[in-house]
């Protein structure tokens, strides 16, 4: 248990210190800004973290000082803001009566038409500009993956993004100039106390540290754990679910560590996609392009790999490649821990091997051994910011003669849980890695999977795409020409 408890969340909004003792567990930042503070530059578009009209910046303390990231206010809960600095578009300002450089560039290059999406674009570009004052086109496009506009065609916004630094220097921006002061103010807010707001079931809890989280969850095993809220947010905004009581863990430093020992990368359950990207893309290159296609920048700044695993969705993007790599999970309940293979964690749709009061503490991912081949392919209707129709991950170890010594194949979107293609694997192991072997193994997909038809794909499409992903893996690992047509909707 924490040594002390306080009954209010504390954060900085633009320049003001905020303390709230009356806030619901499911209250979103977007609603609070618009309804309680009359800051209506932050818009509601989709209410699910897709369109970016609600984009704001949230600054949090790190070893490098205060780091500002773009986030979706529509699915960001107030309980997650303790000890942070929230920046809305109303806080942007230039010298004297001038517009901010990002705003002026958007004006001069006609980056706004109807204007509804414009504040979100400006905030995403603001975050990029502060981090990279002269970004490449690829960096701009990545920063704007999570912002949708139905008017401009985007090229005008791209021209504005390229020109921002001609209007001012990022180093002289107020957020840069005031960063040390903001860091000191945030440091003062981190008092080591557990936060509890509300009473009875209608309660939100922000644990003081990981040990306090373990104690709180053991006492409240039915509580909703909220890490990045990129899925839990939709439970509230789309499904109207009651998430009370809620325990917010996104700010726990003890869950935000990433390290590597003896070829195994350990990722704390609170590490976001953005925080994990550098390590994963460097050590397991195939994961870099996959992470870049998970939501938009705002979602990747909030969502966590641990949360994606713990949620157990059959279309979660990280479990299939992690299963193929042979990842393990550390689960914790109170002071007790156990480590299990990730693939055994998923029992049935909506059911995981997690006891009441137990939580995912870390994910352990082996780096592929030298000489092995690993790839992951995501199939979606559109390339960026779309939910998976099916996803295949492949990890191949070959014998000296080139035959298949071992292969692990895992899919999402093909079964009620992320699942290995064990019959297909059996048909490949011990055989020559050639076209005939691959074609023969394809017949075993019917033994492994019974995909469903839904809004993202038909069962027939999923079945064909899954086979073609194996073919693609064969073609890419051998450099041979595809003997027949490969589905064209998978990741480039």
């Amino acid at each position: 248990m924490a040594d002390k408890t306080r009954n209010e969340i504390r954060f900085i909004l633009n320049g003001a210190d905020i303390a709230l003792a009356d806030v619901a567990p499911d209250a979103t930042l977007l609603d609070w800004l618009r309804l309680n503070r009359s800051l209506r530059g932050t818009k509601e578009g989709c209410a699910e973290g897709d369109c970016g009209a609600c984009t704001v910046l949230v600054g949090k303390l790190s070893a490098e000082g205060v780091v500002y990231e773009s986030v979706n206010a529509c699915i960001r809960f107030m309980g997650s803001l303790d000890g942070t600095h929230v920046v809305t578009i109303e806080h942007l300002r230039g010298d004297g009566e001038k517009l901010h450089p990002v705003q002026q560039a958007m004006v001069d290059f006609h980056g706004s038409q109807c204007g509804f999406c414009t504040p979100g674009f400006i905030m995403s570009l603001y975050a990029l500009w502060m981090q990279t004052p002269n970004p490449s086109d690829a960096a701009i496009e990545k920063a704007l993956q999570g912002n949708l506009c139905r008017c401009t065609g985007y090229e005008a916004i791209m021209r504005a993004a390229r020109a921002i630094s001609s209007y001012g220097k990022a180093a002289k921006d107020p957020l840069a100039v005031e960063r040390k002061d903001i860091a000191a103010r945030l440091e003062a807010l981190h008092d080591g106390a557990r936060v509890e707001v509300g009473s009875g079931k209608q309660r939100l809890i922000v644990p003081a540290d990981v040990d306090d989280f373990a104690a709180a969850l053991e006492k409240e095993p039915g509580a909703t754990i909220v890490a990045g809220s990129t899925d839990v947010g939709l439970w509230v905004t789309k499904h109207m679910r009651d998430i009370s009581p809620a325990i917010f863990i996104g700010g726990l430093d003890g869950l935000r560590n990433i390290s590597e020992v003896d070829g195994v990368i350990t990722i704390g359950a609170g590490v976001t996609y953005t925080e994990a990207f550098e390590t994963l893309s460097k050590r397991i290159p195939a994961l870099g392009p996959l992470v870049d296609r998970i939501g938009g920048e705002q979602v990747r700044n909030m969502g966590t790999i641990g949360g994606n695993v713990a949620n157990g969705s059959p279309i979660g993007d990280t479990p299939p490649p992690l299963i193929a790599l042979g990842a393990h999970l550390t689960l914790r309940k109170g002071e007790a821990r156990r480590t299990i293979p990730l693939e055994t964690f998923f029992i049935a749709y909506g059911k995981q091997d997690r006891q009441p009061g137990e939580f995912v503490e870390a994910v352990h991912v082996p780096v592929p051994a030298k000489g092995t081949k690993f790839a992951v392919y995501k199939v979606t209707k559109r390339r960026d910011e779309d939910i998976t129709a099916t996803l295949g991950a492949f990890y191949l170890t070959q014998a000296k003669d080139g035959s298949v010594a071992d292969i692990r194949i895992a899919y999402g979107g093909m079964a009620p849980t992320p699942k290995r293609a064990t019959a297909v694997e059996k048909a490949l192991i011990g055989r020559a890695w050639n076209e005939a072997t691959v074609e023969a193994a394809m017949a075993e997909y019917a033994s492994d999977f019974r995909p469903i038809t839904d809004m993202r794909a038909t069962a027939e499409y999923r079945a064909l795409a899954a086979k073609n992903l194996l073919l693609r893996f064969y073609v890419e690992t051998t450099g041979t020409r595809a003997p027949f047509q490969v589905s064209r909707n998978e990741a480039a």
Side-chain angles (χ1 to χ4, degrees):
M1 289 288 292
D3 292 334
K4 54 183 177 180
T5 301
R6 58 178 156 88
N7 64 352
E8 60 185 18
I9 61 170
R10 300 172 183 171
F11 61 96
I12 303 170
L13 171 65
N14 295 326
D17 292 321
I18 302 294
L20 299 177
D22 183 16
V23 59
D26 60 358
T28 66
L29 174 57
L30 174 65
D31 285 347
W32 184 79
L33 289 173
R34 293 180 61 84
L35 302 177
N36 295 73
R37 303 294 294 194
S38 297
L39 296 174
R40 299 191 178 99
T42 307
K43 312 290 188 182
E44 177 174 318
C46 64
E48 58 186 38
D50 277 344
C51 74
C54 67
T55 302
V56 300
L57 304 189
V58 172
K60 58 187 179 184
L61 285 173
S62 73
E64 294 76 35
V66 184
V67 175
Y68 289 94
E69 295 177 324
S70 57
V71 304
N72 295 118
C74 69
I75 53 172
R76 184 72 181 242
F77 294 114
M78 296 298 293
S80 71
L81 298 176
D82 194 63
T84 67
H85 181 201
V86 178
V87 181
T88 71
I89 193 164
E90 289 85 357
H91 198 52
L92 271 67
R93 57 199 188 275
D95 292 333
E97 298 298 318
K98 293 181 180 179
L99 290 173
H100 188 275
V102 181
Q103 294 169 317
Q104 193 63 58
M106 287 285 281
V107 170
D108 290 350
F109 287 86
H110 308 286
S112 177
Q113 288 190 30
C114 84
F116 188 87
C117 68
T118 303
F121 272 93
I122 288 174
M123 296 306 288
S124 290
L125 290 175
Y126 185 26
L128 173 66
W129 179 65
M130 283 195 297
Q131 184 177 27
T132 310
N134 295 291
S136 65
D137 282 4
I140 296 169
E141 290 172 358
K142 181 176 177 178
L144 297 180
Q145 277 177 315
N147 293 82
L148 301 180
C149 176
R150 62 185 297 176
C151 300
T152 68
Y154 298 98
E155 185 50 42
I157 298 172
M158 291 291 294
R159 288 194 292 266
R162 298 182 192 112
I164 295 170
S165 285
S166 66
Y167 292 88
K169 295 185 180 297
K172 294 184 177 180
D173 184 81
L175 280 191
V177 174
E178 300 164 5
R179 194 160 299 195
K180 287 186 178 180
D181 176 62
I182 292 295
R185 290 167 67 183
L186 293 181
E187 194 71 50
L189 295 179
H190 288 75
D191 57 0
R194 174 194 286 193
V195 179
E196 289 201 28
V197 178
S199 61
K201 185 183 178 186
Q202 289 297 315
R203 202 160 88 261
L204 70 82
I205 301 168
V206 184
D209 52 33
V210 179
D211 290 341
D212 189 38
F213 168 39
L217 188 63
E218 197 168 24
K219 186 177 179 180
E220 296 272 4
T224 302
I225 302 171
V226 184
S229 72
T230 55
D231 199 34
V232 176
L234 274 67
W235 297 359
V236 171
T237 63
K238 297 300 180 182
H239 305 292
M240 309 303 171
R241 284 174 55 177
D242 181 8
I243 63 169
S244 305
I247 302 178
F248 293 89
I249 65 169
L252 299 183
D253 290 339
L255 294 178
R256 291 170 56 191
N257 299 316
I258 183 166
S259 61
E260 181 179 343
V261 177
D262 297 331
V264 177
I265 301 170
T266 295
I267 305 169
V271 173
T272 66
Y273 298 114
T274 298
E275 291 166 340
F277 178 81
E278 182 178 357
T279 298
L280 292 181
S281 61
K282 179 180 179 181
R283 299 295 288 130
I284 312 176
L287 292 181
L290 175 66
V291 173
D292 271 348
R293 293 183 64 202
I294 296 175
E297 189 85 342
Q298 299 92 324
V299 166
R300 294 191 292 270
N301 289 337
M302 291 168 57
T304 67
I305 293 175
N308 194 235
V309 169
N311 196 34
S313 170
I315 53 173
D317 285 336
T318 61
L322 297 183
I323 288 172
L325 289 166
H328 285 66
L329 289 184
T330 292
L331 299 163
R332 178 175 175 179
K333 180 178 182 179
E335 295 299 320
R337 292 178 173 86
R338 63 188 177 108
T339 299
I340 63 172
L342 174 59
E343 65 182 289
T344 67
F345 180 67
F346 307 105
I347 299 172
Y349 181 76
K351 183 179 182 182
Q352 296 85 46
D353 180 12
R354 189 170 67 243
Q355 302 167 7
E358 192 172 42
F359 63 93
V360 174
E361 187 171 41
V363 185
H364 311 282
V365 188
V367 175
K370 185 177 181 180
T372 60
K373 298 177 173 69
F374 173 68
V376 54
Y377 310 113
K378 175 175 176 174
V379 180
T380 54
K381 287 185 175 181
R382 64 176 186 258
R383 189 184 188 285
D384 288 325
E385 204 189 12
D386 203 0
I387 295 173
T388 290
T390 189
L391 183 150
F394 306 83
Y395 185 29
L396 171 67
T397 303
Q398 291 176 272
K400 290 183 178 180
D401 63 1
S403 63
V404 180
D406 190 28
I407 190 165
R408 294 172 63 93
I409 302 172
Y411 280 89
M414 294 290 290
T417 65
K419 184 177 181 294
R420 281 179 66 178
T422 53
V424 177
E425 293 173 357
K426 186 176 179 181
L428 294 169
I429 293 173
R431 292 171 172 79
W433 184 234
N434 59 30
E435 177 185 332
T437 298
V438 170
E439 286 197 49
M442 285 182 177
E444 298 302 320
Y445 274 93
S447 301
D448 282 319
F449 301 110
R450 296 285 190 276
I452 64 170
T453 294
D454 60 18
M455 68 180 69
R456 296 181 185 93
T458 64
E460 293 78 14
Y461 179 86
R462 284 188 164 104
L464 177 60
K467 294 177 182 178
N468 280 345
L469 294 185
L470 174 61
L471 175 64
R472 175 176 176 170
F473 182 63
Y474 163 71
V475 168
E476 291 186 349
T477 55
T478 59
T480 58
R481 184 175 179 179
F484 51 88
Q485 183 66 37
V486 178
S487 168
R488 286 294 147 200
N489 283 345
E490 72 274 6

